[in-house]
Amino acid sequence: MNRNWVLIVILALVACAPRSQEAGKRSRTLIQNKGSDTLVNVAQAWAERYKEVDPNVAVAVTGGGSGTGISAMINGTVDIANASRKMKDKEIELARSHGIDPVKWTVGYDALAVFVHPDNPVEGFALEQLAGIYGEGGEIDSWDQLGLEIPGCESREIVRVSRQNNSGTYVYFKETVLGKKQDYKLGSLDMHGSKDVVDLVQNTPCAIGYSSLAYATHEVKMPCIETAEDECITPSVQSAVDRSYPIARPLFMYTAGQPEGAIKTYLDWILSDEGQCIIQSKGYAPVLPVDCG
Amino acid sequence: MDRRDLDWYIDKAVQILVFVGGVSAILLIIGIFVFITKEGAGFLTTTFDAKEFFTSPRWRPTSEHNPTYGALALIVGTASITGLAILIAVPFSLGAAIYIGEFATGKTREILKVLVELLAAIPSVVWGFIGLSIMNSLIIKLFDVPVGLNVLNAGVILGLMAAPIMTTIAEDALKAVPDGYREAAEALGATRWQVIFKVVLPAAKNGLVAAVLLGVGRGFGETMAVLMASGHSINLPTSVFDSVRALTATIAAELGETAVGSDHYRALFTLGIFLFLITFLINLTADLVLRGIRKK
């Protein structure tokens, strides 16, 4: 009698063991998240914290650029695409032809800071001055034209530091500062990544560059930008939140259709106070002002 | 005699394996060429304008209203960086090869050989990082120029990268010269320098040319270090202090985010075809030069 019981228990355990393992695997959902390099640090921080919020959901984050993320979302290989720009009409068409109706989620704002060398005495720039420096046909090539004298920059030449031509930052700066139909002046140093821009500017007295505020270090100077109301606004999380800074852009997450289940819960959490405090701590602005204590 | 035992089968299997290994290189190279031609073909037959491509320095593929595909600045950029790199690398690596091969003995020689090989193993992104963070400030301070990411920076970095490979191959070429040549020359009363310059170097000419050409190939193909050190700026350089952009770096920086099948994507593959043809030509010339020398 006793032996039979032991046998039954063992049999039951053997029968149950693999099943319970399978069930464990099934309940752990994996969300694939890919795209913008601007957003990748924040996306990773969200994914990291979300492990504690819901241990049954794992979020895998990869960078690669806004375009890469969007095309992966269209091809169905990722659940959420990060983008530092809006989807282009062409991309939306392509998605529709794949039977996907992309849904846009604004998850934060990013101030694009203009950087100069710390020895550069400049206080602020007007948008027209930036257009004159960077834009095709712009006539500002020398710091002399701006009345500036920079120690260590004898040639007075403005060394323009820009980004490679498929970066979301490159496109946004062009559209906002130069105007939609304008092009950049050729001959700028097109860095592959925001960090390289900051590194180069901090070592080059003649240089000017731009990138997301989140990449700023103490080794570079960030001049203020003049608005239409003749105020000069310094780039900061605060000035991006209250929308007073003129070159701040929204950051997006795109999903293929209205999300459900774990993905929906994840996006809701990102837009909750907890998620928004994380994006603020990374140097970006939350969608609405939050109190993070 | 010809019994089909285990050994026979092993023999046959190895034969097939070696044959497949031998032809795989040919198949792969044809496959790669067909692939890049196929991807670039749509551009070559429609938007491509040979005159613009080879004579205009305006590479502006993402412009919304007027995209232009002039590759002249990229071609000149690659050529100027590679040219400078070879100028720097050839004397260094020849000198190193002669010293290691002809003068150094015992431990010095072994240590030097290991160190040179170690130098060849430094990843290109590390070289690029040195160019971006150390050489940039150094060049600005030394030469008082506005920016240190330029032909000089990329050329020096690329020269340093190519030198170890050139040294190793050149040294092998010197070693391949039979000792009998040296002994004969010494028996005639030649000094050590005379032996090297009049006997060993001319005898090793084939291998030395191969070493230099391999360095040129390395220069054309190198991507990451050049991307970081050259400034990646569309420019027709007038001095070594101008920033430039290389063909390879353009493909590396832009291909990742272009939509598959777009004009920009195909234009990048056209650059790829062009690069492929150049390296093919370099190797072909090398081969012909070597054959010509051999006939003499």
Side-chain angles (χ1 to χ4, degrees), chain A:
Chain A
M1 192 62 180
N2 226 346
R3 236 183 240 171
N4 276 351
W5 270 114
V6 173
L7 208 70
I8 287 168
V9 169
I10 290 174
L11 274 177
L13 277 177
V14 169
C16 282
R19 217 181 293 156
S20 66
Q21 243 175 16
E22 255 172 50
K25 262 184 206 162
R26 251 178 228 150
S27 69
R28 195 171 160 81
T29 323
L30 183 68
I31 299 176
Q32 292 286 354
N33 180 205
K34 185 176 189 168
S36 163
D37 285 323
T38 307
L39 260 170
V40 74
N41 288 337
V42 187
Q44 254 154 10
W46 276 328
E48 198 67 26
R49 180 74 67 82
Y50 201 65
K51 267 188 221 159
E52 291 155 28
V53 177
D54 186 350
N56 291 323
V57 176
V59 185
V61 180
T62 35
S66 304
T68 318
I70 288 167
S71 56
M73 190 261 296
I74 293 170
N75 295 334
T77 51
V78 302
D79 304 300
I80 304 173
N82 304 333
S84 59
R85 58 167 171 83
K86 272 188 196 154
M87 274 176 83
K88 295 175 191 158
D89 293 343
K90 263 190 199 166
E91 288 167 336
I92 294 176
E93 263 169 47
L94 188 66
R96 295 244 162 88
S97 74
H98 279 66
I100 288 169
D101 197 21
V103 179
K104 183 178 81 183
W105 301 74
T106 307
V107 294
Y109 286 84
D110 173 27
L112 273 196
V114 171
F115 302 120
V116 292
H117 193 267
D119 292 342
N120 192 324
V122 70
E123 292 291 328
F125 287 108
L127 287 180
E128 298 77 45
Q129 284 175 325
L130 290 174
I133 293 171
Y134 274 105
E136 169 96 325
E139 294 190 337
I140 306 176
D141 293 316
S142 149
W143 291 108
D144 278 340
Q145 284 164 277
L146 298 170
L148 295 166
E149 202 167 300
I150 307 157
C153 177
E154 302 308 323
S155 63
R156 305 273 191 276
E157 186 188 323
I158 298 179
V159 173
R160 284 162 287 134
V161 183
S162 182
R163 290 289 309 279
Q164 85 273 14
N165 57 24
N166 45 25
S167 128
T169 313
Y170 170 98
V171 173
Y172 183 78
F173 191 82
K174 182 173 92 175
E175 287 180 355
T176 321
V177 177
L178 310 184
K180 265 211 155 163
K181 295 231 143 170
Q182 260 288 357
D183 278 312
Y184 283 96
K185 228 184 263 181
L186 289 171
S188 56
L189 277 72
D190 304 337
M191 294 289 105
H192 201 67
S194 300
K195 213 188 147 294
D196 288 354
V197 172
V198 178
D199 277 355
L200 182 59
V201 172
Q202 77 184 39
N203 289 316
T204 313
C206 299
I208 179 171
Y210 61 85
S211 92
S212 161
L213 173 67
Y215 286 89
T217 64
H218 295 296
E219 314 292 323
V220 287
K221 183 171 168 183
M222 287 184 286
C224 56
I225 304 294
E226 275 171 32
T227 61
E229 290 81 40
D230 276 342
E231 272 180 292
C232 203
I233 311 283
T234 313
S236 69
V237 171
Q238 194 48 48
S239 63
V241 176
D242 62 25
R243 310 277 180 277
S244 59
Y245 187 67
I247 31 182
R249 59 179 167 174
L251 300 170
F252 304 112
M253 280 183 156
Y254 278 97
T255 52
Q258 279 297 338
E260 286 166 12
I263 300 172
K264 169 98 177 92
T265 326
Y266 183 54
L267 284 166
D268 285 343
W269 175 80
I270 283 173
L271 296 172
S272 73
D273 283 0
E274 195 181 354
Q276 291 291 296
C277 282
I278 293 174
I279 195 171
Q280 182 161 335
S281 72
K282 290 283 165 189
Y284 299 90
V287 180
L288 296 167
V290 282
D291 181 22
C292 301

